Amino acid sequence: MTMDMKNGDVRTKGRGVGLAAVRGLALALVSLPGAVLCFCMSLVSIALIPIGVGLVTTPYVLSGVRAFANWRRDLAAEWGGVRIPPAYRPLPKDTNPWARTFGMLRDPATWRDLGWLPVDMTAGFVTALLPAVLLLYPLEGFALAIGLWRVFPDGYWYGFVPVTGQASALGAAALGLVLLFLAHFCTPRLLAAHFRLTRAVLGGSQEELAERVRVLTETRRDAVDASAAELRRIERDLHDGAQARLVAVGMDLGTIEALLDEDPAQARQLIAQARRSSVEALSELRELVRGIHPPVLAERGLGDAVRALALRLPVATEVSVDLPGRVEAPVESAAYFAVSEVLTNAVKHSGADRVWIDLHQADGMLRVSVTDNGKGGAVIEAGSGLAGVERRLGTFDGVLAVSSPGGGPTMVTMEIPCA
């Protein structure tokens, strides 16, 4: 059993070394041309701002740089376990090219991206390529030892070993063994160093903390506004619904008391009316309570609550849930109402006849995606339901992403940090 466990550890370690080498090589092949292209286009576009051309091109170029940097952030989290949160300032929608260009240029995160590009095409390229070099370069030393040295009659340098015969070729093989030994220990660490270098340049400092404070201030204000709006809604629903019905029931009971002896038939009619009013008031109270916090959510958790939502939809809905346990109650509530709002939008506006919902939890994040096969065209804009969802999630440091090309499909993805 112990020998099998050791063999398994060796195989796992070997796969990790090979995977790190392959990932490093892929990063090196993509990062160098990508960083050079982004850097050159950024310099040219910014240089053309004085003559007006750059006002049009710079937002698109810088958006491309941000997309490239965000892709590398995703790889750092997925391949290296290094989280590099973006800290871009939000830009107002429908702004003119002048405001958009200088809004992006005033963002410190933009200049961090531009400063990272030269680092990525130099030190980043080297640290990404080294894992593959450490693993593949020893193969050349072994090939020299088995006779490849004869192809080079004038000699050949392998590292610091001059290969002129079989004996020196064996020395090259010995050096290859040393490099392979180093690769076994250093390859994953070198790839991790590449991602830490990326974080050191792309990660924010005091500017990021200031941006974080600003975002928290905005989300706190949104949370207060949402709470006040919810209280007003509850008060309005109680006043216009259940309270009015209960007042009517009280008046009917007073009339019944006066008619019991004089007109029993009319009294019985009023009793039936009062019963209906009380049933309707009770139903409205239940709906109001369900709108505040659905009982199924409190009793059975987010997965079953979303399934219950799906059962009430007039379109075919598939729900996939992979949650290892219950998350915090506020997070569950925020996710539930966000999904409810997205589903309402899909039913009302998308024209879809099928919806897919996926909930899963991984890496400390609750991820929810809602996809429909409707006509597409959904956007996050002021006053829309999706904007309200974005504000609700922002209170929990959550994010909302919408992919909705014309003609569909529409995918709304939500992520909320959770334990």
Side-chain angles (χ1 to χ4, degrees):
M1 177 67 73
T2 303
M3 184 61 69
D4 291 341
M5 292 177 62
K6 289 182 178 179
N7 291 336
D9 291 341
V10 171
R11 286 194 295 269
T12 302
K13 181 71 173 178
R15 284 195 296 269
V17 170
L19 185 61
V22 171
R23 286 174 170 176
L25 181 60
L27 269 176
L29 294 176
V30 174
S31 64
L32 181 59
V36 171
L37 178 64
C38 289
F39 187 68
C40 293
M41 290 183 65
S42 299
L43 289 183
V44 172
S45 183
I46 293 173
L48 293 176
I49 289 178
I51 63 174
V53 177
L55 291 176
V56 178
T57 60
T58 298
Y60 296 101
V61 172
L62 293 182
S63 295
V65 172
R66 290 185 176 187
F68 182 66
N70 284 332
W71 174 67
R72 298 297 294 278
R73 289 184 175 98
D74 293 339
L75 286 185
E78 184 177 350
W79 288 0
V82 177
R83 299 188 63 84
I84 313 172
Y88 299 114
R89 293 177 180 175
L91 292 172
K93 297 184 180 298
D94 302 326
T95 55
N96 58 58
W98 177 276
R100 188 169 181 83
T101 296
F102 287 96
M104 297 182 80
L105 290 177
R106 283 194 295 267
D107 189 347
T110 298
W111 295 103
R112 280 201 300 272
D113 289 349
L114 296 178
W116 163 73
L117 291 173
V119 176
D120 190 53
M121 69 179 72
T122 52
F125 173 77
V126 172
T127 53
L129 188 61
L130 274 178
V133 170
L134 275 179
L135 191 63
L136 299 178
Y137 193 51
L139 301 180
E140 184 180 346
F142 301 150
L144 290 170
I146 62 176
L148 183 63
W149 64 272
R150 294 185 176 88
V151 179
F152 307 100
D154 297 329
Y156 181 82
W157 282 88
Y158 178 75
F160 56 83
V161 177
V163 180
T164 56
Q166 186 62 47
S168 55
L170 292 175
L175 178 58
L177 280 174
V178 173
L179 293 176
L180 196 61
F181 178 78
L182 291 175
H184 182 72
F185 293 99
C186 298
T187 295
R189 291 182 174 87
L190 285 171
L191 188 63
H194 169 84
F195 292 126
R196 284 196 292 270
L197 174 65
T198 303
R199 180 177 60 186
V201 183
L202 276 184
S205 53
Q206 293 299 321
E207 293 86 357
E208 182 180 354
L209 291 177
E211 180 67 15
R212 176 66 173 159
V213 170
R214 186 191 65 80
V215 171
L216 288 176
T217 302
E218 289 185 358
T219 56
R220 184 184 63 181
R221 183 177 64 247
D222 290 339
V224 171
D225 292 343
S227 177
E230 186 71 8
L231 288 175
R232 288 194 298 270
R233 181 189 69 82
I234 294 171
E235 181 181 7
R236 183 180 64 252
D237 291 347
L238 285 173
H239 182 272
D240 297 341
Q243 178 179 328
R245 295 189 184 279
L246 291 175
V247 169
V249 169
M251 294 175 63
D252 289 341
L253 290 175
T255 305
I256 291 168
E257 186 178 5
L259 292 175
L260 277 176
D261 296 329
E262 299 177 4
D263 191 351
Q266 181 68 22
R268 281 194 294 272
Q269 292 180 3
L270 290 176
I271 289 173
Q273 180 178 326
R275 184 186 300 110
R276 288 194 299 271
S277 296
S278 65
V279 170
E280 291 172 357
L282 180 60
S283 177
E284 289 184 359
L285 286 173
R286 285 174 175 169
E287 287 296 326
L288 183 61
V289 171
R290 186 178 293 110
I292 298 172
H293 194 77
V296 67
L297 181 63
E299 295 169 3
R300 304 183 62 179
L302 181 61
D304 287 338
V306 171
R307 289 190 182 98
L309 271 179
L311 289 175
R312 295 199 294 268
L313 293 181
V315 299
T317 306
E318 294 182 14
V319 181
S320 174
V321 178
D322 182 15
L323 301 176
R326 298 286 296 268
V327 298
E328 299 94 330
V331 173
E332 277 191 338
S333 180
Y336 173 84
F337 286 107
V339 172
S340 177
E341 180 66 31
V342 172
L343 291 175
T344 301
N345 284 351
V347 171
K348 285 185 177 180
H349 307 298
S350 71
D353 58 11
R354 196 165 190 85
V355 177
W356 295 266
I357 306 172
D358 178 74
L359 294 89
H360 66 276
Q361 183 181 358
D363 302 326
M365 302 290 289
L366 175 64
R367 294 184 174 91
V368 185
S369 65
V370 179
T371 308
D372 67 67
N373 62 350
K375 61 186 178 181
V379 294
I380 304 174
E381 57 186 5
S384 69
L386 291 177
V389 172
E390 187 176 43
R391 289 194 302 272
R392 183 188 290 270
L393 298 182
T395 308
F396 299 88
D397 284 343
V399 294
L400 174 73
V402 179
S403 173
S404 185
T410 295
M411 173 180 283
V412 179
T413 304
M414 296 164 276
E415 288 192 352
I416 312 176
C418 65

